Amino acid sequence: MDLEINDDKYNLYIATIIIDLEVELTLPSGLTYVYKLKMKVTDDEIEAMLVYFNHATENGWYTTSIKGTINALGITAFDTCVFDPPGGDDEDIPRISLYY
């Protein structure tokens, strides 16, 4: 089968990558929420935001973590962040990043 470079259906310069993400939020009491996401990426950089609604039910420090896996490449990355939700002593938005 011949592929034409100009044909968008067979663009040889764009790779599609599937990333499996597992995000955890642990409250000061130890209660942990786990969320799993699957992302399809067709560019060399991606930025996303996850907002936890109605999770700040306890006073104290919360821990959020993310593990991302690119199964096709066998690559896994992990990051974690400890923060005090708004109303505590740290008003900054917690950020976590994954790089491979």
Side-chain angles (χ1 to χ4, degrees), residues 70-95:
I70 303 173
N71 292 323
L73 301 177
I75 297 172
T76 297
F78 180 83
D79 195 13
T80 189
C81 176
V82 178
F83 65 100
D84 192 6
D89 64 355
D90 184 359
E91 296 293 330
D92 291 338
I93 297 172
R95 298 183 187 279

Side-chain angles (χ1 to χ4, degrees), residues 8-42:
D8 288 337
K9 185 175 178 184
Y10 299 107
N11 190 334
L12 300 177
Y13 298 105
I14 297 177
T16 299
I17 299 172
I18 304 297
I19 302 174
D20 291 322
L21 296 174
E22 185 172 303
V23 180
E24 292 186 0
L25 176 67
T26 303
L27 281 57
S29 66
L31 176 64
T32 300
Y33 295 93
V34 179
Y35 302 94
K36 295 189 177 194
L37 303 103
K38 186 175 289 274
M39 299 179 75
K40 180 179 178 182
V41 181
T42 56

